[in-house]
Amino acid sequence: MGNQVEKLTHINYAEVPTSDPNGFDPDGDGPRIGVSYIFSNDDDDDDQDERADRYPPEREPVNHEEKPFDLQDELDCAIYYREECVYERAGGAAAHAPESLLNRCRPGDLLEFLATGQYPHWAVYVGDFQVVHLHRAEIKNNFLTDVSQGKKGRIVNALYRFRALPPEVIVRNALDHVGTRDRELSWRNSECFAAWCRFGKREFKIGGEIRIGKQPYKLKLQFSEKKNHVLEFQSLEDVIMEKRRNDQIGKVAVTQELANHLNSTHEIKGDYYVN
């Protein structure tokens, strides 16, 4: 299968394994068994016709028109590998206009650009007002203000709890892959590429983890202080795909979608919150 990614639909959560995401690999840089997951590429640069093909009618987002980012519609969430939290977003940080964001950036920073109804777009700041990012199936080096396309952005270094590489290594990781495109790509979306540059974890790559039939990753959706819902996945890549899909459609839509699913399967649980 390699890095070939099929345009397939989103599946049931129950149909959705791996080595340690902290990077403890006793076999060093040896080969790893992996497959391309059935989620398609999800980046916010996809054409809307491709998006329409990606979802069955009942799951298709209603409106893809770009709107200013609404922090109130952002769903808090956390990712766990077994019992260890490897990602957490709680009370999301405010986003800034591109010019203001530039004044806060340092080489090696991870940036996230946001707009309601679109997938978050991630990039690596490499200095001199420029970022490297995965866009339209190609890794590019552009000015931050051009990449933002007027969207607000924020620095997201602290979301993943892995140890960051030195800034010069992060920048080199990003710049070394400029021009990589299409089937040469080892990352399914801009977030996976940017996170790999900063942390160097192969779990961010397509087929980067061994699948052994277990589901050691959990995505905890936090709807309120006491109400949450937990989904299980086989790999970090799979969790990221689902998290980004939720980011695109927003908290209200996720709440309604999950409520409809639980109602239809008679799986209403006391720990799930419905507006």
Side-chain angles (χ1 to χ4, degrees), residues 54-223:
R54 183 165 308 145
Y55 298 97
E58 68 273 15
R59 303 184 74 88
E60 182 180 351
V62 175
N63 187 356
H64 291 293
E65 180 182 355
E66 183 174 327
K67 300 178 182 177
F69 174 61
D70 181 5
L71 187 59
Q72 299 302 312
D73 198 35
E74 184 173 60
L75 179 60
D76 290 344
C77 64
I79 298 173
Y80 292 85
Y81 176 73
R82 304 193 189 282
E83 300 303 319
E84 179 183 5
C85 182
V86 298
Y87 171 102
E88 184 174 26
R89 183 180 64 206
H96 306 277
E99 294 76 11
S100 176
L101 184 62
L102 267 175
N103 295 327
R104 303 166 185 265
C105 290
R106 298 292 181 270
D109 282 347
L110 297 187
L111 309 181
E112 180 184 44
F113 298 99
L114 303 154
T116 295
Q118 294 190 7
Y119 290 101
H121 190 72
W122 285 48
V124 179
Y125 185 72
V126 295
D128 296 327
F129 314 109
Q130 297 178 59
V131 299
V132 173
H133 62 127
L134 174 55
H135 176 68
R136 294 192 182 279
E138 181 179 355
I139 296 174
K140 303 176 181 179
N141 185 3
N142 300 110
F143 285 107
L144 184 154
T145 50
D146 293 337
V147 173
S148 71
Q149 298 181 334
K151 302 173 187 175
K152 290 186 176 182
R154 58 191 179 188
I155 298 171
V156 290
N157 295 337
L159 291 182
Y160 286 99
R161 295 187 172 183
F162 305 124
R163 179 180 298 178
L165 299 169
E168 62 273 16
V169 176
I170 300 170
V171 171
R172 185 171 67 246
N173 282 344
L175 291 174
D176 282 352
H177 288 85
V178 171
T180 303
R181 59 185 304 169
D182 299 325
R183 293 187 178 181
E184 298 174 345
L185 291 168
S186 297
W187 305 272
R188 204 177 299 277
N189 54 58
S190 61
E191 180 173 344
C192 286
F193 169 68
W196 175 83
C197 290
R198 184 171 176 85
F199 303 109
K201 302 295 183 185
R202 68 177 83 189
E203 286 77 10
F204 289 108
K205 289 187 172 184
I206 295 174
E209 299 184 83
I210 298 174
R211 296 170 184 273
I212 55 177
K214 298 181 180 179
Q215 294 176 312
Y217 285 95
K218 293 180 173 61
L219 175 61
K220 182 178 181 181
L221 308 177
Q222 195 72 46
F223 294 93

Side-chain angles (χ1 to χ4, degrees), residues 7 40-51 54 119 135-137:
K7 296 285 184 180
S40 61
N41 286 353
D42 70 357
D43 246 340
D44 57 336
D45 48 52
D46 287 330
D47 293 332
Q48 291 189 15
D49 288 343
E50 292 178 336
R51 288 180 182 170
R54 183 165 308 145
Y119 290 101
H135 176 68
R136 294 192 182 279

Side-chain angles (χ1 to χ4, degrees), residues 222-260:
Q222 195 72 46
F223 294 93
S224 70
E225 184 177 350
K226 296 182 179 180
K227 305 296 182 180
N228 62 75
H229 190 77
V230 177
L231 307 171
E232 296 182 345
F233 296 87
Q234 289 187 312
S235 71
L236 180 60
E237 181 190 19
D238 299 343
V239 185
I240 292 172
M241 296 294 290
E242 181 63 18
K243 176 182 69 68
R244 288 172 60 78
R245 191 190 73 90
N246 292 343
D247 289 341
Q248 184 213 11
I249 65 178
K251 180 178 180 179
V252 173
V254 173
T255 302
Q256 189 58 57
E257 180 184 82
L258 191 52
N260 291 342

